[in-house]
Amino acid sequence: MAEPEPMASAAGQRLGAPETLGISTLDPGHRPPAMPPGRHVTIRVRMLDDTEELFDISQRASGKVLFDLVCSHMNLIEGDYFGLEFQDHHKMMVWLDLIKPIIKQLRRPKHTTLRFVVKFFPPDHAQLLEELTRYLFALQIKQDLACGRLTCNDSSAALMVSHIIQSEIGDFEESQCRSHLLNNNYIPDQMALIDKIMEFHSKNIGQTPAESDYQLLEVARRLEMYGIRLHPAKDREGTRLSLAVAHTGVLVFQGHTKINGFNWSKVRKLSFKRKRFLIKLRPDVNSSYQDTLEFLMASRDCCKVFWKICVEYHAFFRLFEEPKPKPKPVLFTRGSSFRFSGRTQKQVIDYVRESEFKKIPFESPHLSASSGHSQGMVNGQKSLELCSHSPDGRQPSPLTSPLLNDASSIRTDDEDEVRRKVCGSVRPPLKNTEKRTDEMLCLRVCLSSQSFQGAVGQDEATPETLKNTIFSNFEPLYKFHTGFLREVEQRLALWEGRSNAHIKGDYQRIGDVLLKNLQGLKPLTTNLHKQSEALVELEKACRASRRLEGLCRDFELQKVCYIPLNVFILRPLHRLMHYKQILERLCKHYPPTHVDFRDCRAALADVSEVVEQLQGSMIKMENFQKLLELKKDLIGVDNLVIPGRVSSLEFIRLGCLSKLSGKGLQQRMFFLFNDVILYTSRGMTATNQFKVHGQLPLHGMTIRESEDEWGVPHAFTLVGQRQSVVVAASSLSEMEKWMEDIKMAIDMAETSNGPSSDLLASNLTDNKCPEDSSVEAESEDDMTASHTSLEKPTPHRGNTTVHVCWHRNTSVSMVDFSIAVENQLSGNLLRKFKNSNGWQKLWVVFTNFSLFFYKTHQDDYPLASLPLLGYSVTIPSESENIHKDYVFKLHFKSHVYYFRSESEYTFERWMEVIRSATVSSSRSRILNRKESHPH
C-alpha cells in the first residue's frame, strides 16, 4: 500500500499537524479567528521574496485574521516580528492594525497591495529561533540594502553582498560570480565594489544558505542603520532631523548619523499634540535635558503614525506579556485607544522554545527547487520525510516550501582535510577515530541513563530493589566509559597534534589504551549481567505501580531519550559487540610486526571472553526488550510479556500485509511469533496504537502460495485448524521473507511440547474476528486500552518500528533487529539535498534502523531523524552530477539524500551499517547464534 498522499490544503501545510500549527499569533490550542460573515474581498500581499499571494477574506474581519492567514500560509511560527504595511489615502505608509476591521483600514482593498515586512528588529539575530525567520530577515536586509535604506561603508556593503550571493549561487567560481553580479544589482554603485565582493565571496566557500543568512544578519545588526526607519522632524530651533525607534528606545538622527538616543528606562511618557511629538523624561539630576522634549513633524497623522510604532516597540521588547485593553469610558473618550496587540518578544521566545517539537524544517529556496512537508516525528524531532510537490501540484512560492536544513549547524566542506595537512600527514587508523565516536555515543547513553535515575530515583513509587539493581549498576559503568573516552581522546590528540613532534612516534598507537581499559572491564562483568535483571525488575515495578509507569513514560517522551528506554538499559551489553568488532578490524588492519598488533590481539581475546559469557543472556534480553516495545504498540493483548519470568514467547517478524476479506484487500499489521500470528489495524486514537483483530495459532497450520488462485500479486494463504486467511505482500521479496519465516515458525510450533500462546485480551478470545462480526467493534478502538493502561490515553511516539513499517508497507524481522544491535555507528557526515549545492556538516548517529542528526557530538538531543526501513542505499550515478568522493545516496520514492564521508574507510563503514537496515538479512545468522547458545 502506498504512503498517504498529502491532503488538499494550502501549500506548505504539514501533514499530520494540528490545525493551529505554524500560527504564531495564537495562544496554544486556540483555533484561528473565525471568519465573520459578510462580503468577501481578495487581498493582495507582496511577500519579502517579491512574489504576490492572494487571500480571500471578509471585509468585516480584523487585521489579525488576515495576518494569521499570511503566517499560516508560510508556516511561520515567529510571525510576531513581522507586520503588514500599506499606503493609506494620505499616501503614507502605515501598519495594518490587527484589532480594527479590514473595512475600516483599507478604503479600496481590491486596489491595495499590502507588503509583508519585518516590523520589529531584535538586537541579536540569535534570538530568532527559526531558520525560516532568519531567512525572511535576510530578505529584508537584502531589500534595505538595494533601496539604500541600510547605509554603511563599502567594506560592510561588499561583505553583506558576498553572503547574499553565497546563499543564492553557492560556492565561489570566478566567472559565475562576476556574471551574476553584472546581471543582479544588490547595492547602489555596485560596479565599483565588484572586485571587493568577489574577494569576500571567495572566502565564504562551504557556507550553507542558512549559515550565509546567519552571517549576513551578524554583519547587519552591528550597523547603525540596522532596522531603522526614519521619520522626518525638526527640533525647536528648526533644525532638520529624523526620529526613529529601536529596541533600546527613541533615536534622533541627523542625516544617517545618530546624534542622540532616549532609552526606554529614561522615558516617562510619549505623546503627541497636533504636529508636536513629545517625549517626557524621568527626572535626572545629572542630565542637562529638559523634562519634556518636543519635535515638530509634518502633520498630526505623521505624529500619530510614529507614536503608534513607538508604543508597539516598547511593548514588544520591554513587556513580559501583551498589555490588557483599557476599560471603555462611560461618557466620552480622551486620547487614542490604540494599544499593542500580539505577543511580546519574551512570549514569542518562550512559546517557540516550549513548542520546539513543532518547528518546521526549512531550507533556503535558492538552492532547493522542491517544496516539502514534514512527515513524522521522532521523539519530538522532525523526520526527514519530504514531499516533492505542493498538494495542488503547483510549484509554490519558496516562502511556503519548508525543507529541513538544521539551523546554524556548523558546516565545513574541506576544512578537516586542510587541518590534517597542516597538522601532518600521519593520521591514526580511522578505526581509532571510530572508537572515539563510539565511546562518545556510549557516554551519551550512560548520561541518558543517569537522567533516568534522577527522574525516578527519588520517587517513592520506585521500589528499593529496582533502585539497587539499576542505580548500583550504572554508576560504575558510567565511570568506566568516562575514563575510557578521556584516555582515547588524550591519545588521539597527541597522535594528531602539532606539538611534541620529536616524540610523536611514541603516541602513534592505541592498542595499549584499549587493552588496559578492556582488562578493566572484566571486573564489571557482574554489572553487565545485571543489566538484564534491571530490565525485568523495571517491567515488574511498572506493572505494580501506575505512578512509576507514568514516570517512565514521561522520561521516554523527552528528547534526550531518542530511542526506547529499555534499549538504553541494554546498551552497555551491546557495547561488547562493538568493542569486539572494532578490535577485529584493527587486527586485520595491522601487520603482525606493528607495534599495536600484540596489544590489540590481547584486547580482542579479553573482550571475546566476556562476550561469550554474556551471549546467551543478550539473546534472551533482545527478545524480551522487543516484546516490551511491541506491548506499547498493541491494544488487545493480555500476556505478551508474562510477569515473573522472561517470556518463552519469541518474536520473529512484524510488518505490513494486505488481508483479503469481503471488503477487498485491507492493510493490516501482522506480528509473527514462535507459535502464533497476530493481525491488527492502526487505531484512530490519540495513542496511535494498533488494535488486535485476531490470532492464528501456528500448530497444525499450512502455508501455500496462491497468487494464481486469487488473482492478487504476491498472495499466499495461511490454512489453520480453525480458519484460513489470504494475505498479499507488497513485493515478491516481501512475500518470500514472510513465507520463509512462517514456515520456520510452523516447524518450531510443531516440535514444541507446550501449549500454543493465547495472547488476546478476554473480550477478543472469540474465534470470530471482531472485524467480521460488527462495524461497531472497529469504532471503539480504545475501549480495551482504558483497562490495560492508565486512565486517560497516554501520548505515544509515532516513530516506532511498527509505525514506520506501516507507512512504508514493509517488514522487519528479529534477525534484522539483532544485526542492527551489532551495526551501530556515529561520526561526522556531510549531507546534501537533491536540489541543493551546499553540503552541511552534521554529527550523525545510526541506531535502531534510523539516522539521528546533531549539530555536534556535544548536543543533548537530535535535531532530526531519518528512519531507514524501506530506503535503498546506492552510489550516485554520473547523471546526478555529484562530483565528490565517498558519497552514498539514500532514496525512498521521491525522497533523495546524499551523504559524504571523509575517507574510503568511513564510506565503507557507513555503507555497511546502513545496508544492514535497508537490506533484510537471512535468518541463518540468528539461528546459528541461537544454536550456539540455547535458552
Side-chain angles (χ1 to χ4, degrees):
M1 181 174 289
E3 281 198 333
E5 293 296 326
M7 297 180 293
S9 59
Q13 178 178 337
R14 289 172 290 175
L15 291 177
E19 292 185 36
T20 62
L21 216 54
I23 305 175
S24 63
T25 53
L26 299 179
D27 291 332
H30 287 191
R31 294 175 176 270
M35 190 72 69
R39 190 164 66 90
H40 278 226
V41 66
T42 299
I43 304 292
R44 185 182 301 273
V45 178
R46 180 171 297 155
M47 315 304 281
L48 278 163
D49 60 352
D50 288 329
T51 61
E52 291 189 352
E53 302 289 344
L54 302 178
F55 297 90
D56 186 61
I57 193 170
S58 168
Q59 283 188 330
R60 294 184 181 179
S62 67
K64 179 178 174 59
V65 174
L66 175 60
F67 185 70
D68 287 346
L69 284 176
V70 176
C71 291
S72 179
H73 179 72
M74 290 189 292
N75 284 318
L76 178 62
I77 293 177
E78 296 174 295
D80 307 77
Y81 289 101
F82 301 85
L84 294 170
E85 66 174 4
F86 63 97
Q87 193 176 58
D88 68 2
H89 60 286
H90 294 301
K91 305 298 182 183
M92 294 178 57
M93 294 302 295
V94 297
W95 295 103
L96 185 72
D97 193 318
L98 299 184
I99 298 177
K100 287 185 178 179
I102 298 287
I103 195 171
K104 290 187 177 182
Q105 301 186 69
L106 305 181
R107 284 195 172 183
R108 304 176 65 196
K110 290 184 180 179
H111 305 283
T112 302
T113 299
L114 286 81
R115 296 174 64 239
F116 180 85
V117 293
V118 176
K119 187 174 185 179
F120 301 112
F121 289 80
D124 186 357
H125 56 286
Q127 294 175 325
L128 306 174
L129 303 182
E130 288 280 298
E131 186 174 328
L132 171 58
T133 315
R134 287 191 292 273
Y135 169 66
L136 294 173
F137 266 72
L139 291 180
Q140 183 69 67
I141 297 303
K142 179 181 172 183
Q143 286 189 4
D144 291 349
L145 275 174
C147 71
R149 178 185 292 160
L150 183 57
T151 57
C152 57
N153 59 42
D154 289 349
S155 181
S156 296
L159 181 58
M160 286 190 286
V161 173
S162 76
H163 289 304
I164 293 173
I165 62 177
Q166 173 71 23
S167 175
E168 292 184 354
I169 67 175
D171 289 347
F172 176 77
E173 197 281 315
E174 185 173 358
S175 60
Q176 180 193 22
C177 179
R178 187 176 296 278
S179 173
H180 188 78
L181 287 171
L182 291 174
N183 292 312
N184 297 273
N185 199 52
Y186 295 100
I187 50 175
D189 302 323
Q190 181 172 290
M191 291 299 296
L193 294 177
I194 281 186
D195 290 338
K196 199 171 190 67
I197 294 170
M198 292 177 64
E199 179 186 353
F200 281 129
H201 185 203
S202 67
K203 298 176 182 178
N204 295 339
I205 290 177
Q207 282 186 3
T208 63
E211 290 168 339
S212 298
D213 292 344
Y214 193 89
Q215 294 302 325
L216 172 64
L217 297 177
E218 180 66 24
V219 177
R221 77 181 182 93
R222 301 177 187 276
L223 301 177
E224 195 164 70
M225 295 299 293
Y226 170 68
I228 295 300
R229 292 190 173 212
L230 298 177
H231 298 255
K234 294 180 181 179
D235 62 10
R236 285 182 173 180
E237 285 73 38
T239 305
R240 292 179 180 271
L241 304 168
S242 294
L243 298 179
V245 61
H247 68 280
T248 55
V250 181
L251 310 177
V252 183
F253 283 81
Q254 193 163 36
H256 287 90
T257 303
K258 186 177 75 172
I259 61 173
N260 214 336
F262 305 100
N263 195 285
W264 293 124
S265 61
K266 304 291 186 183
V267 176
R268 184 167 62 90
K269 184 179 181 181
L270 295 174
S271 61
F272 66 95
K273 190 172 184 179
R274 296 186 176 89
K275 295 183 180 182
R276 291 180 297 155
F277 185 79
L278 307 173
I279 305 176
K280 292 187 178 182
L281 301 176
R282 300 184 186 279
D284 187 351
V285 294
N286 298 319
S287 174
S288 59
Y289 289 123
Q290 304 169 3
D291 176 62
T292 301
L293 300 174
E294 185 178 304
F295 297 90
L296 189 67
M297 305 189 82
S299 66
R300 179 186 181 278
D301 288 335
C302 291
C303 270
K304 187 172 183 178
V305 166
F306 182 62
W307 173 78
K308 281 185 173 181
I309 188 61
C310 287
V311 170
E312 292 185 309
Y313 250 84
H314 175 267
F316 185 75
F317 287 109
R318 294 281 290 182
L319 300 186
F320 285 170
E321 58 184 25
E322 177 183 356
K324 300 294 186 292
K326 295 179 181 178
K328 292 184 178 181
V330 178
L331 298 177
F332 58 89
T333 63
R334 181 181 179 183
S336 174
S337 62
F338 174 79
R339 68 179 178 87
F340 171 73
S341 174
R343 286 197 180 100
T344 65
Q345 187 190 32
K346 182 182 184 302
Q347 288 177 308
V348 174
I349 292 174
D350 290 346
Y351 171 70
V352 177
R353 283 176 176 165
E354 290 170 4
S355 309
E356 192 168 358
F357 66 93
K358 297 180 180 177
K359 287 184 178 182
I360 305 170
F362 174 79
E363 181 182 38
S364 170
H366 296 306
L367 298 177
S368 180
S370 63
S371 68
H373 306 270
S374 296
Q375 284 189 344
M377 308 273 291
V378 176
N379 204 16
Q381 300 304 322
K382 290 290 175 284
S383 167
L384 284 178
E385 285 297 317
L386 304 175
C387 296
S388 299
H389 303 287
S390 60
D392 58 4
R394 295 184 298 108
Q395 192 72 18
S397 163
L399 295 188
T400 61
S401 309
L403 292 177
L404 181 69
N405 187 6
D406 308 321
S408 307
S409 50
I410 306 302
R411 184 253 174 240
T412 58
D413 202 324
D414 295 316
E415 67 177 29
D416 285 346
E417 184 63 32
V418 172
R419 180 180 61 80
R420 286 194 291 270
K421 290 178 180 178
V422 172
C423 295
S425 59
V426 179
R427 298 181 64 244
L430 283 157
K431 302 166 189 66
N432 299 341
T433 307
E434 181 182 340
K435 183 72 194 76
R436 169 201 283 161
T437 58
D438 227 26
E439 282 306 306
M440 289 176 182
L441 179 58
C442 189
L443 196 59
R444 181 189 307 281
V445 170
C446 291
L447 285 169
S448 299
S449 302
Q450 281 205 326
S451 300
F452 170 66
Q453 295 177 40
V456 303
Q458 304 301 321
D459 198 275
E460 296 177 358
T462 307
E464 288 299 321
T465 54
L466 178 62
K467 292 179 183 178
N468 295 335
T469 304
I470 292 184
F471 305 157
S472 61
N473 285 331
F474 272 108
E475 190 63 31
L477 291 172
Y478 172 70
K479 288 182 179 178
F480 167 78
H481 286 290
T482 302
F484 199 172
L485 176 60
R486 182 172 58 249
E487 291 191 33
V488 171
E489 286 279 12
Q490 289 172 349
R491 177 58 57 85
L492 293 183
L494 288 170
W495 193 326
E496 296 174 317
R498 285 174 283 181
S499 60
N500 302 322
H502 61 290
I503 59 170
K504 186 183 289 185
D506 294 338
Y507 293 107
Q508 291 177 354
R509 54 185 302 193
I510 195 70
D512 57 331
V513 174
L514 301 181
L515 177 60
K516 172 192 168 187
N517 282 277
L518 290 176
Q519 285 178 338
L521 183 63
K522 277 188 173 183
L524 297 177
T525 305
T526 303
N527 298 82
L528 292 169
H529 264 297
K530 290 184 178 180
Q531 294 305 108
S532 58
E533 294 179 21
L535 194 60
V536 176
E537 288 294 328
L538 181 61
E539 169 61 13
K540 284 182 183 178
C542 286
R543 279 180 172 269
S545 170
R546 286 187 175 182
R547 178 178 175 83
L548 180 60
E549 182 185 6
L551 288 171
C552 293
R553 181 197 65 229
D554 292 342
F555 176 78
E556 198 168 43
L557 289 171
Q558 295 179 19
K559 295 174 187 175
V560 69
C561 190
Y562 59 95
I563 55 178
L565 173 60
N566 50 39
V567 176
F568 271 121
I569 292 176
L570 290 183
R571 273 297 155 83
L573 280 171
H574 298 159
R575 303 306 304 160
L576 299 174
M577 302 299 297
H578 305 158
Y579 296 151
K580 183 180 178 183
Q581 289 175 346
I582 289 174
L583 284 163
E584 285 173 344
R585 286 192 289 271
L586 279 172
C587 289
K588 289 180 181 178
H589 171 78
Y590 288 133
T593 56
H594 194 279
V595 65
D596 246 3
F597 180 76
R598 180 175 295 179
D599 286 340
C600 286
R601 189 171 60 178
L604 176 59
D606 287 338
V607 76
S608 297
E609 180 183 342
V610 178
V611 168
E612 187 174 356
Q613 293 175 15
L614 296 170
Q615 184 74 38
S617 176
M618 287 171 62
I619 293 174
K620 289 182 180 180
M621 284 302 106
E622 286 172 18
N623 180 70
F624 186 59
Q625 180 270 320
K626 183 49 57 184
L627 294 178
L628 289 173
E629 191 175 328
L630 294 180
K631 176 187 170 187
K632 297 178 182 178
D633 281 309
L634 295 174
I635 296 175
V637 174
D638 271 347
N639 54 353
L640 193 65
V641 180
I642 300 174
R645 62 185 177 90
V646 177
S647 177
S648 59
L649 190 69
E650 292 184 29
F651 164 72
I652 297 176
R653 179 176 291 276
L654 66 85
C656 230
L657 292 171
S658 295
K659 180 177 175 291
L660 187 62
S661 69
K663 301 176 184 177
L665 286 173
Q666 295 180 312
Q667 186 179 8
R668 292 288 180 261
M669 200 73 186
F670 279 71
F671 299 83
L672 174 63
F673 301 95
N674 59 326
D675 61 355
V676 69
I677 299 176
L678 298 180
Y679 55 97
T680 69
S681 64
R682 190 183 183 191
M684 301 300 292
T685 66
T687 59
N688 278 331
Q689 291 165 289
F690 287 80
K691 180 185 177 183
V692 177
H693 284 303
Q695 63 181 358
L696 303 172
L698 295 180
H699 190 78
M701 177 182 284
T702 59
I703 181 173
R704 68 172 187 271
E705 190 174 344
S706 51
E707 179 175 343
D708 297 335
E709 180 181 350
W710 294 100
V712 177
H714 320 307
F716 56 96
T717 303
L718 303 174
V719 182
Q721 293 182 337
R722 300 177 182 176
Q723 66 181 110
S724 297
V725 176
V726 180
V727 294
S730 59
S731 65
L732 177 61
S733 62
E734 278 290 303
M735 182 188 75
E736 290 174 344
K737 286 185 288 187
W738 273 107
M739 292 188 68
E740 179 183 11
D741 281 347
I742 292 174
K743 288 176 181 176
M744 176 193 70
I746 291 173
D747 292 341
M748 293 171 66
E750 294 295 338
T751 56
S752 173
N753 296 324
S756 296
S757 299
D758 186 7
L759 301 180
L760 298 193
S762 56
N763 62 331
L764 287 178
T765 53
D766 192 301
N767 292 340
K768 205 175 196 181
C769 244
E771 61 178 319
D772 298 330
S773 60
S774 72
V775 178
E776 293 178 346
E778 290 215 32
S779 65
E780 298 174 358
D781 292 62
D782 213 21
M783 288 186 66
T784 55
S786 63
H787 299 293
T788 59
S789 185
L790 299 179
E791 288 300 328
K792 67 176 185 177
T794 60
H796 189 70
R797 299 189 303 181
N799 63 308
T800 64
T801 306
V802 179
H803 286 82
V804 175
C805 288
W806 172 265
H807 286 296
R808 296 188 182 160
N809 204 10
T810 188
S811 67
V812 62
S813 71
M814 192 63 209
V815 180
D816 302 316
F817 281 110
S818 298
I819 293 173
V821 165
E822 300 174 12
N823 287 289
Q824 299 182 34
L825 191 61
S826 60
N828 287 313
L829 283 176
L830 297 171
R831 184 191 65 197
K832 191 180 90 69
F833 296 110
K834 182 178 181 181
N835 297 304
S836 67
N837 294 329
W839 292 85
Q840 185 178 30
K841 189 173 183 179
L842 297 167
W843 198 67
V844 183
V845 173
F846 171 75
T847 186
N848 262 38
F849 303 105
S850 297
L851 294 176
F852 294 89
F853 301 98
Y854 299 77
K855 289 181 186 178
T856 71
H857 71 270
Q858 297 173 326
D859 290 356
D860 293 330
Y861 56 84
L863 296 163
S865 72
L866 177 62
L868 295 184
L869 290 173
Y871 267 75
S872 297
V873 56
T874 58
I875 299 173
S877 62
E878 288 291 330
S879 62
E880 292 173 271
N881 296 319
I882 305 295
H883 304 299
K884 299 287 185 182
D885 294 330
Y886 315 129
V887 176
F888 59 90
K889 170 185 173 183
L890 285 170
H891 54 99
F892 173 73
K893 296 185 177 179
S894 62
H895 313 307
V896 177
Y897 310 98
Y898 301 98
F899 293 92
R900 180 178 160 205
S901 53
E902 62 178 350
S903 68
E904 183 178 4
Y905 172 77
T906 55
F907 168 77
E908 291 175 352
R909 285 289 294 132
W910 280 107
M911 289 286 284
E912 177 186 353
V913 297
I914 289 176
R915 276 178 177 150
S916 72
T918 57
V919 180
S920 293
S921 307
S922 168
R923 65 185 174 90
S924 60
R925 185 170 178 184
I926 193 69
L927 288 178
N928 289 338
R929 287 178 62 193
K930 289 186 177 182
E931 287 167 4
S932 302
H933 304 277
H935 289 223

